[in-house]
Amino acid sequence: MTNTFGTESAAASGAAAASVPGSQERLANAVRAAEQALIEFEIAVETFRVEVENFSRLHHQRLGPMYARLDELDALVAEAVAAHSGDRADIERAWEARALVMPMPGVEELFGGLLGSDGVRPVEDPNPPRRVRPGKEAQRLYRELARKAHPDLAQDDEEKERRSAFIARVNEAYAYADEEALQALAAEWEAGPVPLADLPSEAEVLYARLEWLAERKENLSAIAAELDESAIGQMMRLAPDDPDALLNEIAEQLLTQVAQREARLAELVRDASDGR
């Protein structure tokens, strides 16, 4: 995940400003700037988390059956080779290949009937993500809502709780790229209670706020790094601009490999029936 949020600490900037006489207003401005920077950072981290999660789910749904089919074909080919040669090394390789394959009753039906031409397998999730990356309109709506209704803008526990519950619904709608739901949530927010007043200006409260913001940003950075370093995150680096295209490319490669394995297996079966 590319860090586009800068390296300067908002907390450090605010503390430096507060050391100048009459700097409480500057400190308050620094707190507000740090809040906005943190919200933008959280939006980016949550956006990336949704993409990583969607990529992982779609990778499993679309490509899992293909990987399983390849393993099954490898075992069948190895068994056919061993049956033909009788060589001990070939037999051992066949055993090893078969040991990697979990029992899969009706695998041909699964692969040939339940998989579509694009390699997508029906899933139990009644509302699976349609794409790794939601569309531009969904992204726009999500960012606007996150900036307006973010819990970190709350000044008391009750308001924070209300905002947290609302943002949870926003996050869920965004994860499924549900533009209609996001539009409805935007209308709901506009019709709801107005945000509370700005933070009190007392320096002690402002310093505590800056400290919390810095700690929150550090925690988010750790989450972002973990996502970026995950297996799915590393895979997504191969196509950062269009991860959906990467899934399609991998699916095409796997379908080609499956066709090659099936052709090889058919050749071995034909040679065995011809007594070669």
Side-chain angles (χ1 to χ4, degrees):
M1 177 182 178
T2 303
N3 188 339
T4 60
F5 315 106
T7 57
E8 182 179 358
S9 168
S13 298
S19 65
V20 181
S23 62
Q24 188 161 304
E25 182 178 355
R26 295 183 185 179
L27 180 57
N29 290 336
V31 168
R32 286 191 287 270
E35 288 174 341
Q36 292 303 316
L38 180 64
I39 289 171
E40 294 300 321
F41 192 19
E42 288 202 42
I43 288 172
V45 172
E46 176 63 17
T47 298
F48 186 53
R49 186 198 65 77
V50 166
E51 292 183 6
V52 168
E53 183 176 303
N54 285 352
F55 192 99
S56 178
R57 293 170 65 191
L58 290 171
H59 183 274
H60 175 73
Q61 292 164 6
R62 292 186 184 182
L63 309 184
M66 297 186 194
Y67 286 119
R69 177 58 172 165
L70 281 172
D71 288 342
E72 174 68 16
L73 286 169
D74 284 340
L76 291 172
V77 167
E79 288 166 350
V81 169
H84 177 69
S85 70
D87 184 80
R88 181 172 181 79
D90 289 338
I91 294 173
E92 289 179 352
R93 279 191 288 269
W95 286 345
E96 293 171 358
R98 178 52 63 187
L100 296 175
V101 180
M102 295 293 291
M104 296 184 64
V107 66
E108 280 73 17
E109 178 185 358
L110 170 66
F111 191 79
L114 298 183
L115 290 182
S117 59
D118 59 355
V120 177
R121 176 185 181 184
V123 293
E124 296 179 0
D125 188 345
N127 189 24
R130 290 175 295 211
R131 293 173 53 84
V132 171
R133 180 169 296 161
K136 292 188 179 299
E137 179 63 12
Q139 293 180 44
R140 183 189 69 79
L141 289 166
Y142 168 72
R143 290 190 173 96
E144 287 185 359
L145 284 167
R147 289 167 184 146
K148 291 178 180 178
H150 200 281
D152 289 348
L153 296 176
Q155 304 304 307
D156 58 50
D157 292 341
E158 183 178 351
E159 175 66 6
K160 181 179 285 289
E161 183 177 351
R162 183 180 80 88
R163 287 170 175 261
S164 296
F166 182 80
I167 286 297
R169 294 163 59 201
V170 171
N171 289 342
E172 182 179 7
Y174 178 70
Y176 289 108
D178 192 337
E179 292 182 13
E180 291 185 2
L182 289 169
Q183 290 169 350
L185 286 165
E188 177 183 329
W189 180 259
E190 292 301 325
V194 296
L196 298 179
D198 289 341
L199 283 169
S201 61
E202 289 84 353
E204 182 176 344
V205 175
L206 293 173
Y207 278 126
R209 182 65 170 166
L210 280 174
E211 184 177 351
W212 182 88
L213 290 167
E215 182 180 353
R216 176 62 177 159
K217 185 175 185 297
E218 184 178 349
N219 292 337
L220 283 170
S221 297
I223 293 173
E226 183 177 354
L227 288 169
D228 195 42
E229 294 168 4
S230 67
I232 293 296
Q234 293 180 36
M235 187 179 297
M236 289 178 62
R237 291 180 195 171
L238 300 174
D241 297 328
D242 193 355
D244 291 282
L246 176 60
L247 277 177
N248 293 334
E249 181 181 345
I250 296 173
E252 290 177 3
Q253 294 173 355
L254 290 175
L255 286 171
T256 298
Q257 293 177 35
V258 166
Q260 293 171 346
R261 301 291 205 288
E262 289 178 334
R264 173 59 174 158
L265 180 61
E267 179 184 354
L268 290 168
V269 172
R270 184 171 57 252
D271 289 345
S273 63
D274 292 342
R276 297 182 188 178

